[in-house]
Amino acid sequence: MEALWKNEQKIQAILDASPDVIHMLDSNGIILSSNEGFAKRMGLKLDDLIGKNVFDYFPRELALKRKAAVDTVFMTGEPLQFEDEGPIGVFESHIHPIFNQVGEVAAVAVYARDITERKKAEEALIESKRRAEDEKAWSEGIVESIGDAISIQDPDFKILYQNESHKNLMGDHVGEYCYKAYEDEDDVC
């Protein structure tokens, strides 16, 4: 009996090592086991969660969506992954079936990672890219309006940009090396 207790303690320590939410639920959403990650997020003790319905800890709409995902895994026996947003952040959730000896889904393992910061970073990157594209279009508009032939090369003399005046004068050579395009030389001038 002591060996079983030690094994359970080891498993619980492994689960608690993760800051992510991990629990095992029955078909009604009753928490069969969980980790400290979920307890801390809920501001509760782990022992207070066992035997409670996990869906009671979420707003109604979110609980219904998550219950539907759990029900799907119980019905299909197939794992499911989804993202959703709740009052404490955006989560990427994975639900996996746990089968009994006769091959029926007896419980599900739920693993949920808080991806709020990643989502914020993705949104910031998209916004930054949009601003950069706007600034590029604005800058190109200024360069085009000058009327002089303008070409921009990188430090290796590869042509990165030509305005229309330059293309009309020299031809379109973006991506080529200027010494080859303009002087027909194989080496840097």
Side-chain angles (χ1 to χ4, degrees):
M1 196 61 144
E2 186 174 330
L4 179 60
W5 181 83
K6 284 183 179 181
N7 191 43
E8 287 179 4
Q9 292 302 309
K10 286 179 189 177
I11 292 170
Q12 190 63 48
I14 291 169
L15 293 175
D16 290 341
S18 174
D20 299 321
V21 172
I22 303 171
H23 29 239
M24 186 167 49
L25 307 175
D26 73 6
S27 61
N28 296 313
I30 301 300
I31 300 170
L32 304 173
S33 64
S34 191
N35 73 334
E36 288 290 340
F38 183 63
K40 285 178 185 173
R41 288 180 190 284
M42 296 294 112
L44 300 168
K45 292 183 179 181
L46 183 57
D47 291 340
D48 295 336
L49 294 170
I50 307 303
K52 301 291 192 306
N53 192 305
V54 72
F55 304 116
D56 291 343
Y57 295 100
F58 305 113
R60 180 168 167 68
E61 289 298 316
L62 185 60
L64 290 173
K65 179 180 178 184
R66 290 181 179 177
K67 174 136 180 40
V70 168
D71 290 345
T72 298
V73 175
F74 269 97
M75 287 187 307
T76 65
E78 296 291 324
L80 183 66
Q81 176 185 341
F82 62 94
E83 289 181 11
D84 63 9
E85 185 170 356
I88 61 172
V90 180
F91 282 81
E92 176 183 83
S93 298
H94 301 261
I95 306 173
H96 293 268
I98 299 171
F99 298 98
N100 62 19
Q101 298 88 342
V102 293
E104 299 167 332
V105 180
V108 293
V110 179
Y111 169 81
R113 171 167 282 170
D114 186 342
I115 58 170
T116 306
E117 292 306 314
R118 184 181 88 195
K119 286 294 190 183
K120 286 179 183 176
E122 287 172 359
E123 290 170 8
L125 183 61
I126 290 168
E127 177 59 23
S128 177
K129 184 177 178 183
R130 185 198 59 75
R131 281 194 316 269
E133 288 170 353
D134 288 350
E135 289 175 17
K136 179 182 177 203
W138 182 76
S139 299
E140 286 178 353
I142 290 173
V143 170
E144 289 298 328
S145 69
I146 291 173
D148 292 331
I150 298 174
S151 172
I152 300 172
Q153 291 87 31
D154 69 11
D156 294 323
F157 301 102
K158 189 173 188 177
I159 302 168
L160 302 176
Y161 173 82
Q162 293 176 276
N163 69 355
E164 284 303 313
S165 296
H166 197 274
K167 287 179 185 177
N168 292 337
L169 182 66
M170 303 296 291
D172 188 349
H173 297 287
V174 173
E176 299 176 31
Y177 291 95
C178 66
Y179 49 84
K180 181 69 175 169
Y182 306 149
E183 302 293 329
D184 199 27
E185 298 286 334
D186 290 326
D187 296 318
V188 178
C189 328

